[in-house]
Amino acid sequence: MPAQQKKIIFCIAGVLSFACALGTAAAIGTQLWVKGTILCKTGALLVNATGQELEKFIGKIQYGLFHGERVRQCGLGGRPFQFSFFPDLLKIIPASIHVSVILFCTVLITFALVGAGFFMFNAFGSPYETLHGPVGLYLWSFIACSCGCLIMILFSSEVKIHHLSEKIANFKEGSFTFKTHSEQFANSFWIILVCSLVHFLNALLIRFAGFEFPFSKSKDSGRITGAVDLMY
């Protein structure tokens, strides 16, 4: 492939990596990871609410990695409550998983920026082997893509398996019991998915630029090496 086309491909990959870093950083600070509704089970049972009456006992909840908001509704109107994971909810959430998600988000941002830098270096500089060459480009893209996948797996398990929404909904609730009525992942969570796909796309762009995959040897080189060995 001509050098000019390689520069264009590396520039595109570098811009995509930098955009992923900014997107992940923005996603971490929002409370748009999970949105859902919570049902005041105690209040609904007291009045045997059904049909349209049940809507008076359905509140809302949304949260991210650091903070969120819930609106409890038990037939007397909505009452908003702001909360923070650190240190408010640290005792009721799976702290190790939650901290791991934040850690992998930081690693994703770091390696996305590193990858963007090396893509630009290979586009406008003089690339050489190991970390500045194709092996390094594959490495940064692979690490960033893997971190994105781990973030989604860990956070999904925290929400679905450990019932994070219900734990948050019942935080500091003595007489009322809430259960999750509906929940879905929001924009910030899907940004991580898009970033993971972008880093996988970057690996394909490297291959499209003409670089072989790391540690792969052509058949011709193996034949030549074998012929030389026979000479000795």
Side-chain angles (χ1 to χ4, degrees), residues 75-96:
L76 301 174
R79 297 182 181 181
F81 174 73
Q82 300 282 341
F83 59 87
S84 174
F85 281 91
F86 303 98
D88 296 343
L89 304 176
L90 200 58
K91 294 182 179 180
I92 65 170
I93 65 172
S96 59

Side-chain angles (χ1 to χ4, degrees), residues 5 10 48 60 78 146:
Q5 294 183 15
F10 287 144
N48 292 323
K60 298 179 180 179
S146 300

